[in-house]
Amino acid sequence: MAEVVHGTRELAGESSRELPRVISVDDHVIEPAHLFQTWLPAKYRDKGPKPFTAGIGELEYVGGKYRFTTDPDGQITDWWEYEGEFFPYKRIIAAVGFSRDEMTLDGITREQMRRGCWDPKARLEDMEMNHVEASLCFPTFPRFCGQTFAEAKDKEVGLACVRAYNDWMVEEWCGDSGGRLIPLCLIPLWDIDLAVAEIHRNAARGVRAVTFSEIPTYLGLPSIHSGYWDPFFAACEETGTVVNMHIGSSSQMPAASPDAPPAVQASLSFNNAMASMMDFLFSGVLVKFPRLKLAYSEGQMGWIPYALERADDVWEEHRAWGGVKDLIPEPPSTYYYRQIFCCFFRDRHGIEAIDTVGVDNATFETDYPHVDSTWPHTKRVAAEHVAGLSDEVTYKLLRGNAIRMLDLPFDR
């Protein structure tokens, strides 16, 4: 089983306090091998993603990216092939059930994974074990905001894959869960009109969450300052669709030296979320779309108080040359507290500053089944964080803010 970073100490006074069941706003799903064969229209299946099992060669981490090869003599691994590119599943992304020393970059098959990684009924059972009532799951093979399909050469097939993934997400992964598995859909990032259409198509069947890139320019896409994405933001505002941005959804993770070990990248993982939030606070997007909701996933929150302080200070003291004097009429923190949600799972410093982070802005996650996941000890980890907080604030952090953010049919 995965270990708990903060140990096993008994919490004074917590034994008699029953914590509300968690709603996790950032988990992950490993796509089942049948996904595209079942949900992709027949005319696209020959060109669509295909699962296969083969040995894996060496995995290298170079300049913030993984590189890998197949090897007939290597460890048997489950892969996807799509347009000549190969994507293996690695143990660190299906880590639950393994000890910390076993959570490596080695390849893994679905049979070696805990079944809850890819089977919705088993996922619900693992959620029961973990004091979790509901879960929002990001994709794996499509990558965190569908970059795999955005990079495809054949955009007609890519669009069909986006729609097939969303149909599977809504109807199969979430369909029989009684609302406990919350659908999170993709958009075709390469076409704004198709993206808007996909928002409306999914909203019509109750979807209230879409995944988007934290920094679109890293993907070769227009920036949020350009106005290009305004129709997308307008559609999300109109339908109440939350724009969810996971760390790494720009296909880049922060790194220092190009030959730094992966531990540097892991320690800096919040960095893109901070950069993205500054981008939005000074873009005018939140001024133009005052009911738009943004959610930063797996970015933690301890950095937010200073980021807001600095943003407000720049807005006030540097207005003559900062380029936002007429664009942002109120201090940037105003728009954060009104429209942005963060989330956490291990962040004691953020809890200490929760009044500044925002008791109405913070949500909780378990990161199942990744290497950072708190499964199966989420109740204990959550209890350690909220010890000393009022019942009202505890409820908001562990479930209430997520219910409000996603307009979920649970108690408020």
Side-chain angles (χ1 to χ4, degrees):
M1 295 294 191
E3 299 171 0
V4 177
V5 166
H6 301 307
T8 59
R9 66 180 177 84
E10 183 106 1
L11 293 171
E14 284 299 322
S15 58
S16 61
R17 181 190 188 193
E18 181 58 29
L19 290 184
R21 293 179 76 191
V22 167
I23 294 178
S24 175
V25 299
D26 172 33
D27 294 318
H28 301 266
V29 59
I30 304 296
E31 296 79 18
H34 70 261
L35 192 160
F36 295 101
Q37 183 65 29
T38 300
W39 292 96
L40 197 61
K43 68 177 181 177
Y44 297 119
R45 287 176 192 162
D46 285 345
K47 294 184 177 181
K50 296 178 180 62
F52 71 99
T53 303
I56 193 169
E58 293 185 1
L59 274 73
E60 295 182 299
Y61 184 79
V62 180
K65 294 185 179 181
Y66 294 107
R67 296 178 182 174
F68 42 80
T69 58
T70 59
D71 182 348
D73 298 321
Q75 181 179 4
I76 298 300
T77 301
D78 278 344
W79 302 68
W80 289 97
E81 182 277 326
Y82 180 49
E83 288 197 339
E85 299 291 331
F86 299 96
F87 180 97
Y89 286 124
K90 300 178 286 291
R91 192 175 290 184
I92 61 168
I93 62 173
V96 290
F98 292 97
S99 71
R100 286 291 169 192
D101 290 334
E102 295 174 313
M103 296 179 185
T104 65
L105 294 176
D106 291 340
I108 191 172
T109 66
R110 291 178 184 83
E111 289 305 310
Q112 295 168 330
M113 300 174 190
R114 190 168 181 87
R115 191 177 180 91
C117 293
W118 51 270
D119 180 277
K121 292 182 180 179
R123 176 62 68 92
L124 292 173
E125 293 172 1
D126 280 356
M127 289 162 57
E128 282 295 319
M129 294 173 56
N130 202 33
H131 201 64
V132 173
E133 182 166 14
S135 168
L136 183 79
C137 293
F138 282 83
T140 302
F141 161 65
R143 312 210 315 266
F144 290 147
C145 67
Q147 302 102 298
T148 296
F149 303 128
E151 294 169 1
K153 299 178 183 67
D154 189 328
K155 289 300 192 288
E156 181 180 350
V157 177
L159 176 61
C161 288
V162 167
R163 291 173 173 168
Y165 179 91
N166 290 341
D167 292 344
W168 165 81
M169 167 61 65
V170 173
E171 298 181 38
E172 183 177 325
W173 179 251
C174 300
D176 294 328
S177 71
R180 295 185 62 196
L181 294 172
I182 305 161
L184 174 65
C185 288
L186 309 175
I187 56 168
L189 291 162
W190 62 91
D191 188 304
I192 189 65
D193 293 329
L194 293 175
V196 168
E198 193 63 12
I199 290 294
H200 286 290
R201 184 176 84 94
N202 292 313
R205 50 184 174 175
V207 176
R208 293 296 179 268
V210 63
T211 179
F212 186 65
S213 176
E214 60 201 353
I215 307 175
T217 55
Y218 284 2
L219 303 179
L221 298 168
S223 83
I224 62 168
H225 303 274
S226 67
Y228 174 84
W229 297 103
D230 283 2
F232 165 71
F233 296 136
C236 290
E237 181 183 58
E238 177 187 346
T239 59
T241 300
V242 181
V243 178
N244 295 263
M245 293 171 285
H246 196 283
I247 56 169
S249 57
S250 57
S251 294
Q252 292 188 32
M253 291 295 284
S257 305
D259 54 349
V264 173
Q265 172 228 338
S267 299
L268 291 172
S269 60
F270 70 93
N271 203 298
N272 280 358
M274 181 168 61
S276 176
M277 193 177 83
M278 288 295 186
D279 225 15
F280 269 99
L281 289 179
F282 286 110
S283 68
V285 168
L286 300 179
V287 178
K288 191 180 299 184
F289 303 104
R291 297 186 312 280
L292 179 68
K293 290 182 282 187
L294 307 180
Y296 283 99
S297 306
E298 206 171 323
Q300 307 299 337
M301 61 184 186
W303 51 271
I304 289 176
Y306 176 70
L308 294 178
E309 179 182 340
R310 178 60 179 167
D312 284 356
D313 189 57
V314 167
W315 178 83
E316 177 66 31
E317 304 296 336
H318 301 260
R319 60 182 178 269
W321 66 274
V324 294
K325 182 172 63 174
D326 299 322
L327 184 64
I328 312 298
E330 299 180 76
S333 62
T334 305
Y335 308 102
Y336 165 81
Y337 289 118
R338 187 177 75 185
Q339 294 174 252
I340 296 179
F341 294 84
C342 58
C343 73
F344 72 101
F345 54 94
R346 292 191 188 96
D347 192 338
R348 293 177 179 274
H349 185 69
I351 287 292
E352 290 173 0
I354 194 61
D355 287 339
T356 307
V357 169
V359 296
D360 294 316
N361 300 80
T363 59
F364 197 74
E365 62 165 296
T366 79
D367 199 31
Y368 182 109
H370 282 188
V371 67
D372 262 328
S373 180
T374 55
W375 186 93
H377 306 301
T378 291
K379 186 176 183 181
R380 189 172 70 202
V381 173
E384 289 180 342
H385 277 73
V386 301
L389 298 181
S390 70
D391 289 346
E392 179 185 6
V393 172
T394 294
Y395 178 86
K396 287 183 176 184
L397 300 186
L398 298 187
R399 63 182 287 119
N401 290 339
I403 291 171
R404 180 170 53 86
M405 178 179 87
L406 293 162
D407 193 24
L408 298 176
F410 295 106
D411 57 287
R412 293 177 183 266

